[in-house]
Each structure stands twice: as C-alpha cells, then as structure tokens.
Amino acid sequence: MLALVVAAFHTAAPAVNGALPGGNGTKNASMGGASIALPLDAVAAANNPAGIAFVPSSTTLDLQVFSGHSSANYVLPGNHLENRQKQVAPNGGLIWHSTPELTLGISMSGAGAGSDYGQSALPVPGAGTAKTTLRVAEFIPAMAWKPTPALALGLGLTLAWQQFDADGVIVPASVPGGLLPIPGHGNQTATGVGVRGGLLWKPTSDWSLGMNLKSRARMGRLDGYDRDLLAYSDGRLDVPGQYGIGVAWQPIERLTLAADWLRILWGDIKAMQDPNGFGWRNQPVVRLGAAWAFDEIWTLRAGYSHNRGQIDASRAVQNVLVPSINEEAYTAGLSWRVDQHSELNLGYELNPRTTLTGTGPSAGTSLTSKVQMLLLGYHYTF
C-alpha cells in the first residue's frame, strides 16, 4: 500500500469523465465502467462501498497506462498547440470478511488531468510554458453490513491527497485588449476528507440493484494559487461529489450485463463557479457493459460509456490547459484465472478523437483530444 501511495502521488492519472477515470478496477473498467451493482474485485469500495460485502476476501493491484494526444487552435489564427502524454496510474484494494455479516476493506483510486504544450499559449512577453497537472489519490477505508444475505449497506471515507501545478496562464489585463501572464507557483499539495455510502440488493439470484452516494471532499488551500488562478475559491480545488444507480443481470449462467447512471457534481465546486474560470458543469454519465465466461478459466468483457461534456463551448479558451473533452469510450477486456486463487486481467479503452469548437467569447478557439488506456490487473483471493 505504501508503494501505491508513492506511485499515485508521482504520476498523473487518466482523465475521461472530466478529471475522473472511466472506471475503477480493470474488470469493471473493461465493461465501460459499469460497477455500482456489479462488484468484481477488491477495488469495489471506490465504486460502491456496499459492494465489498459480495467480493471474497482478496486483494487487487491494477495499473492504468494512459496515452493522450490533445491539440488546440488557440485564440489567434495559426496559433496551434500540441500536447502528448503517457502516464501510469495505479489502483487497488484489500477486502476482509471479519464475520459473515461484516466486511472491512480499503480501496485506492486515482484521478487527474492536465497538459504540457511545450511552449507559451500566446506570444505574450513573460508568459511561461503552457502546462498544468492535477493529481488526486483517493484512499477509501470502508465497511459493509449484511442485515440479510441478499442486502448490503456500505459506508466509507474518502481520504484525498491532491497535487496541483499550473504555469503559462494568461489572463486579461486591466488595459483594454491587454493580456497579462500570471506567475506559476510550482507543485502545491492539499488534503481533504469526504464520506460515501452505498446499497447493494440482490432480489433474485440473477438480478442486482445498487446505489452509490459520495460527498464532496473539501480540500485544503493550494498555496500561491489562492492569490490568482484559484482566488475565487480561496485556493481550494475540491474533489466533486457524485451519486448514481446501477443494475446487473445474469440472463444465463455465462452472460452478465450491467448498466450505471452516474452524475458527477463538478458544478457544485466553488472553483468551477468562477465567472472567469474553468466553468465546469455537472456531468451525467451512462455506462454499459457485458461479460461472457467461456469456461472456468477465460472471461471476455466489453463496454461503452457516454457522458455530457462538462465544458461549455463558450469556455473553450479557459480550458486550454485542461482539455478534458472526451464524451464517449469503447472498452474491451480479458480475464485469465490462473488457479483457484489468482487471476490476471487485461483491458483496453478508446476515447475517440473529439473536438470542442469555441463559441461566443471563445470563438476562434478549438480543442481536440484522443485518449487510449491499457489496463493491467492482478486479483488474488485468500
């Protein structure tokens, strides 16, 4: 777990739904992220804390290898910016059944966004290289109680650790038509706490229904940024709350289908309410997935997810440093059960090339992004 902490802090995590990954855990991520009613491994508390009650005592370690390419035609004709990034982000977890009714667990997930264009965004004297990085590691200690064999109630904490760095930000100057670069403040860190809860009910052997609630994690102040870029929110960049429902159905023994509806509350964060800032809005996400078990050894998975972009076209200029504009993802995965205890998991996610064309105050600016992820995982059942 200490190794996971260090790795999560020093690598940028993939950003698909705003600054959040498409799914937590290789197996669920390979099913379009559908997970609220379908816990599959020890990362379950990150999806629905009640889910750990239906996963055997086990541990999971996953890696998400992120490859992103974004570009921007920014403000001035012919001013073209290019950004390519490759990063590795871990997640994982541990689940232990202390009694048939009580389960304890801890999961870890990552989130993040950013860019590095390798040049200034505009030819403004004194402007630094246009780049930004947001990294968030969430540690989720959780417990689940089963009042009946078919029903579980879960409760957990979100212990968030955040690192933020931004440079090359250019804002309007007090002189009409003027532009002013603001200084960077280097890597700054903050911590925060939130709560989460969930429910998972199996009314029949082939149906599961789930609900997940997660509060906003109020983060500490990012020193320096409270004086300019994040002044509106007193230097705080909170981790958003979310809520969602899910369903899973096993029509035949070898086939499992799952679907989630999730709403991420970006718009409730004060930093996103800045009239001159990023302006992200609340984001609904639909996630669909299927799994086919060929036999006791091999399982094939596939999925699709779609969201409503959290960035309005009129805010394209403000979001050039955080071009998280992908709205759909296609996923596939494969599991190999090595023996009765060990399982290896492989997944792939494609977020096709997407372009956001600015309107109104952002006319003349466009952002383009394509994201791919390779998912690797190991699950061990005690």
Side-chain angles (χ1 to χ4, degrees):
M1 186 57 69
L2 287 174
L4 286 175
V5 172
V6 174
F9 187 63
H10 288 287
T11 59
V16 178
N17 297 321
L20 299 180
N24 296 300
T26 296
K27 291 195 280 188
N28 287 111
S30 298
M31 297 177 66
S35 56
I36 295 175
L38 187 66
L40 294 176
D41 55 28
V43 192
N47 300 313
N48 179 358
I52 64 175
F54 293 96
V55 177
S57 295
S58 57
T59 186
T60 300
L61 175 61
D62 292 338
L63 292 176
Q64 296 178 321
V65 183
F66 167 84
S67 176
H69 176 210
S70 62
S71 62
N73 294 314
Y74 192 59
V75 181
L76 302 175
N79 185 39
H80 185 73
L81 308 174
E82 290 279 345
N83 166 58
R84 294 182 184 271
Q85 289 190 328
K86 286 183 170 59
Q87 302 287 351
V88 178
N91 58 46
L94 175 68
I95 290 175
W96 177 57
H97 294 272
S98 60
T99 71
E101 295 80 24
L102 183 64
T103 304
L104 304 176
I106 183 169
S107 298
M108 193 200 77
S109 65
S115 62
D116 185 351
Y117 292 106
Q119 65 181 79
S120 60
L122 289 169
V124 176
T129 298
K131 61 180 180 179
T132 187
T133 301
L134 170 66
R135 302 181 177 103
V136 179
E138 293 186 357
F139 304 92
I140 307 155
M143 63 179 295
W145 172 55
K146 294 176 74 173
T148 72
L151 176 66
L153 305 174
L155 184 65
L157 291 176
T158 302
L159 307 178
W161 189 8
Q162 176 187 81
Q163 185 183 61
F164 182 72
D165 180 18
D167 197 6
V169 178
I170 300 171
V171 299
S174 55
V175 179
L179 296 172
L180 175 69
I182 61 176
H185 304 289
N187 284 322
Q188 300 295 331
T189 62
T191 58
V193 179
V195 297
R196 60 177 75 205
L199 175 149
L200 187 56
W201 178 42
K202 294 180 175 289
T204 66
S205 60
D206 55 347
W207 282 94
S208 298
L209 303 173
M211 179 177 66
N212 179 53
L213 300 171
K214 175 185 174 184
S215 77
R216 179 186 62 172
R218 179 174 171 80
M219 304 302 292
R221 184 179 293 107
L222 295 162
D223 291 341
Y225 296 101
D226 57 333
R227 298 193 297 269
D228 40 55
L229 184 60
L230 298 176
Y232 187 85
S233 60
D234 194 29
R236 303 178 191 274
L237 190 55
D238 294 341
V239 177
Q242 58 181 248
Y243 58 88
I245 56 174
V247 60
W249 178 40
Q250 192 173 16
I252 59 176
E253 183 180 0
R254 296 190 180 278
L255 177 64
T256 302
L257 305 174
D260 289 350
W261 179 86
L262 182 69
R263 187 172 179 85
I264 305 170
L265 304 178
W266 298 111
D268 290 1
I269 300 174
K270 190 172 182 180
M272 300 303 176
Q273 298 169 1
D274 183 348
N276 299 310
F278 301 110
W280 288 13
R281 59 195 176 192
N282 291 343
Q283 183 179 49
V285 184
V286 175
R287 310 189 293 200
L288 306 172
W292 176 263
F294 286 104
D295 49 34
E296 297 299 319
I297 298 177
W298 297 98
T299 300
L300 180 66
R301 296 182 173 87
Y304 171 78
S305 71
H306 181 80
N307 68 63
R308 185 191 72 172
Q310 82 286 359
I311 301 173
D312 187 85
S314 64
R315 294 291 185 106
V317 166
Q318 291 92 328
N319 283 276
V320 67
L321 294 181
V322 195
S324 301
I325 60 172
N326 297 90
E327 295 186 349
E328 61 180 358
Y330 300 88
T331 65
L334 182 68
S335 291
W336 172 36
R337 181 164 291 281
V338 181
D339 54 40
Q340 65 178 11
H341 295 290
S342 300
E343 185 179 45
L344 297 176
N345 303 293
L346 176 68
Y348 172 75
E349 179 174 326
L350 171 65
N351 297 263
R353 178 185 172 92
T354 301
T355 297
L356 177 69
T357 301
T359 60
S362 292
T365 291
S366 64
L367 309 176
T368 299
S369 175
K370 177 183 177 181
V371 173
Q372 300 179 81
M373 282 189 285
L374 179 65
L375 313 170
L376 306 170
Y378 174 72
H379 183 69
Y380 183 85
T381 302
F382 304 125

